[in-house]
Every structure is written in structure tokens, then in C-alpha cells.
Amino acid sequence: MKITTQPGGFVGVCAVFVLSVSLSASPLVTLSDNAAIYFDGSASISSDSNIALDSSNEIDDIIYEFDPGFKWVYGSSDTGAEFTLNANYTIKRYGDRNEFDTGLASVALSGQFQSAKSVTKLNAGYVENQTNTRDANAAGILLESAITSAGFKTEYEASLKTSVVAGISYTRTDQKTNDGFGGTLGVDRSQLLVPVNIYYAATEKLDVGLGYRYRNSSVDVSSFVGLGDRSSHFFNVALRGELSPKIIADMKFGFQTTDIEGQEKFDGFSADASLTYLPDAKTTLSFLYSRDYEIGFLGEAKETSMITGILEYVFNEQFSGNAVVFLASDDYKNLVLEQDYVTTILSLTYNPSQYLSVEGSYIYSNNDTTVEGSDFTGNIYKLGVNVRY
């Protein structure tokens, strides 16, 4: 089996989507033949009809964001090692509600090592957030949190037809919003993931395999919910590669069992799958589906199903467009609560040069729940400029 980098579709789909354009430009500072520093920044203005995602007291405002940052790039595919370090600081200002003004730091490191028989990818990061989501919101409050993460994944070619993919990742989420009683809103939590998959080359371009994923989650026990640490085991069958010359798949389907302190064990079907269709050189159509057991804002246990459709179209060298539809359904295991959430994004990007891009977007979101007062609707209009030099 020859190790190749499969197109991975689209990653990081959640309640809030970030659409960005990658620009190719000359570096700000050239350190050596294999090292350079770029300025990578952006500025935007947006109109948000419901910044706190509140059903009873919608707060609308104009938001200004300035995001200066730098990117350090080292290595190349020829040397077998590549590293990228991004550092940004977002200055966020509100037109009317200046009590929400904030500054958010982020640092992200990614790297890749490649040899004749293996490819190893690593990542680490720290990101500060100020955003409310479908299950993390409070009336009249914008929630802040910090996420720290690190991990690696290695694919090793065991034979001409067999490869092993394994890794480990750790994520820590710390809530930063004061609850007024000496604590914070929401629970801090951490998660350790250890996935292993063995693939066999059924054809030259399509692999089939078996996999297992262990997950351990530590939760600061909430007085409202009372659920503690949890562990899960996901056994899956996997498929990756070309189903046809224009359809690329990366799928895992299987059975997951979860043990939670304070609640009986529950189990069921789980999935993590993507399909990418490339009808022509200008169009990319992707579908993502996942079904998993997650931790809620207050430490709840919930079963979440998500479906995402993404259409990308390149009109010409300067103009491109995106359309995204994201659907999520949450079933809380220890609360009488179910919710259905939808987000739609439309965006248009203009690239006048390799150093500059301008993007306009519209985001609609709606949450429908079985609990009175938890529904909400939001509309966001955004115009942004991205600069790389």
C-alpha cells in the first residue's frame, strides 16, 4: 500500500463556522531557504441580530474585529519535515454593548514528518473564544472559554497492501465567564482520544479496514447535573479513498458504548463519515455525517447527530462562492430536552491579488427545543478583509 494524503473534506464544522481563504504571497521576512515569516491578518465588520442567542431578550449590535497575526513556516516536502506556527490576537469591539469588548489570543502549531514508510502529523494549540452556541448560552451574557489541545497521528505502511493509522490527542476546555458566585458558568472538561485503524488495499485507490477508538473525558462535576467522568469505546468498520474518479470517501461506522459516573451505561450506533464529489474543476460538493455522544455545557450527556452539506464554486481566478447547510439534533440522556438546530451560510470571496481577499457572508441560525425559552433565531451579515504578506 502506498501512503498518500487523501483529501479530507471539511473539518471543524460546529455551531459557528469560520470560512477563510488561503492566499499565496511573498514572505514578510525570509530567514533561510526553508524558513519564512508572513504577516497574516484580517479585519471585519458584522451585524448580528442576536449576539447572545437568547430567545427572550435578543441583543443586536455591530461588531468590529481586528485580527493581526504572524505565521512562521519551516521546512518543505523535499526535506521530509514541515512546520507551521500561527500566532494571532483578535481585538473585538461592540458598537453599543462595550461591556462585551475583549481581546482573544490564539497560537497553533502543526507539523509533518514523512519517510519511505510513514507519515506523522502533529498539532498543538491554544485558542480563546467568545461565543454562545446552541447548548452554551445564557441570557444577556457572552460566554468566554479557552481551549488547549495537542496530539499526533501516524500512518505506517506495514506491507504493500496493509497500513496502520494510530494517534493520540488531548483537549482541555476551561470556562472563563464568572457566574457571580465565585465560580464560572459551565463546567471545565478535558478529553483524551486514542484511535487505531488497520486498512487493507481492496483496490489501488480504495482501502477498507477495522478500527477502535478509546475516549476518556474528565468533567468538573456540576451541581446542576451531577454527572462525572466518562469513558467510551468505539468499534468501527472503515472505508477511505476513491469510490469513483469523482467521489472520495472517508467513513467510519460502528458501535459505541459509554460509561458515565452518576448514570447507567448507554450505547448505540456511532459514525464519522465524509463524501466529497468533484463534478468538474470549478465545483466541490461535500457531505459530512457524524453521530456521537458528547458533553454538554453543564456536564450533561447527550447523543448528537450532525449532517453538513458544503458547496464550493470557483467562478474565475478572482471570485469564488460557498454555501453551507448544517443540521444538528441533540438528545440529552439525563434531561427532558431535545433540540434541532440549523445553520445556513452563504459567502462570496473576491481575490484582487495574491496578498488580499475580501469576503462577504450571511449566516442564519435557528434552534428549536422541547424546553420553553431555549429556542432562538439569529441573522449575521459580515464583511471582512484578509491580508497576507
Side-chain angles (χ1 to χ4, degrees):
M1 173 181 294
K2 181 180 180 181
I3 297 176
T4 58
T5 302
Q6 300 287 355
F10 297 85
V11 184
V13 179
C14 57
V16 178
F17 296 89
V18 179
L19 298 178
S20 62
V21 178
S22 176
L23 302 176
S24 174
S26 300
L28 179 66
V29 178
T30 300
L31 302 176
S32 68
D33 291 341
N34 294 317
I37 296 176
Y38 294 86
F39 171 80
D40 199 350
S42 65
S44 67
I45 179 173
S46 58
S47 172
D48 192 331
S49 68
N50 191 1
I51 61 176
L53 301 181
D54 190 357
S55 63
S56 59
N57 183 27
E58 294 186 2
I59 303 173
D60 63 278
D61 209 340
I62 302 298
I63 305 168
Y64 307 89
E65 291 188 42
F66 305 93
D67 187 17
F70 291 91
K71 174 182 289 187
W72 172 70
V73 179
Y74 176 80
S76 66
S77 57
D78 295 333
T79 64
E82 299 174 79
F83 295 94
T84 301
L85 177 66
N86 291 277
N88 293 75
Y89 187 79
T90 301
I91 302 167
K92 202 169 185 180
R93 296 292 181 263
Y94 291 80
D96 295 324
R97 304 298 295 266
N98 55 19
E99 69 269 26
F100 295 142
D101 291 353
T102 189
L104 306 168
S106 65
V107 180
L109 171 68
S110 63
Q112 178 172 301
F113 300 91
Q114 187 163 353
S115 67
K117 285 185 170 290
S118 68
V119 175
T120 299
K121 297 181 180 180
L122 59 87
N123 65 84
Y126 173 82
V127 180
E128 295 177 343
N129 295 305
Q130 184 202 51
T131 183
N132 288 9
T133 66
R134 66 183 188 276
D135 70 337
N137 55 73
I141 296 175
L142 279 180
L143 301 171
E144 296 193 4
S145 62
I147 300 175
T148 305
S149 62
F152 76 91
K153 182 177 71 172
T154 296
E155 178 163 355
Y156 175 73
E157 183 181 355
S159 69
L160 290 177
K161 286 186 170 291
T162 307
S163 65
V164 179
V165 181
I168 186 170
S169 63
Y170 173 82
T171 304
R172 170 74 183 179
T173 301
D174 293 297
Q175 306 297 336
K176 298 295 185 182
T177 307
N178 196 308
D179 64 1
F181 300 96
T184 58
L185 292 173
V187 298
D188 298 337
R189 57 189 182 269
S190 60
Q191 179 175 268
L192 178 70
L193 283 175
V194 184
V196 179
N197 278 84
I198 300 175
Y199 288 98
Y200 176 78
T203 68
E204 184 179 351
K205 296 183 179 181
L206 184 65
D207 299 339
V208 297
L210 296 174
Y212 166 75
R213 183 191 67 201
Y214 170 75
R215 175 167 56 203
N216 180 269
S217 302
S218 298
V219 182
D220 290 356
V221 177
S222 167
S223 59
F224 299 102
V225 180
L227 296 183
D229 297 347
R230 57 207 73 183
S231 61
S232 67
H233 307 271
F234 176 41
F235 303 91
N236 59 80
V237 294
L239 185 72
R240 67 174 187 177
E242 292 188 9
L243 299 180
S244 75
K246 294 185 177 182
I247 301 178
I248 301 167
D250 188 355
M251 302 180 174
K252 298 180 181 70
F253 297 98
F255 177 84
Q256 183 167 242
T257 179
T258 302
D259 294 294
I260 304 178
E261 291 182 10
Q263 183 171 309
E264 294 182 0
K265 179 177 70 174
F266 61 90
D267 49 42
F269 170 74
S270 284
D272 183 9
S274 67
L275 276 176
T276 302
Y277 175 52
L278 306 168
D280 54 54
K282 292 187 174 183
T283 309
T284 302
L285 183 61
S286 297
F287 297 96
L288 296 89
Y289 171 73
S290 70
R291 182 182 176 91
D292 204 351
Y293 300 92
E294 300 183 341
I295 301 172
F297 179 62
L298 297 176
E300 313 98 323
K302 63 173 184 171
E303 180 183 287
T304 298
S305 298
M306 296 184 289
I307 301 175
T308 307
I310 305 172
L311 172 65
E312 292 184 306
Y313 187 78
V314 179
F315 297 97
N316 52 46
E317 291 184 356
Q318 293 184 318
F319 285 95
S320 62
N322 292 271
V324 179
V325 177
F326 171 74
L327 306 172
S329 178
D330 301 310
D331 180 9
Y332 288 77
K333 295 300 182 180
N334 53 311
L335 297 174
V336 184
L337 171 61
E338 295 181 6
Q339 61 185 10
D340 295 314
Y341 177 82
V342 59
T343 286
T344 301
I345 302 174
L346 300 174
S347 67
L348 181 65
T349 301
Y350 170 57
N351 294 288
S353 74
Q354 61 176 334
Y355 305 100
L356 178 70
S357 72
V358 181
E359 181 179 13
S361 61
Y362 166 70
I363 304 172
Y364 167 80
S365 59
N366 178 267
N367 197 46
D368 183 18
T369 79
T370 57
V371 175
E372 184 177 354
S374 296
D375 298 348
F376 63 79
T377 299
N379 295 276
I380 300 174
Y381 298 88
K382 185 174 184 178
L383 180 63
V385 178
N386 302 279
V387 178
R388 186 184 186 194
Y389 182 80

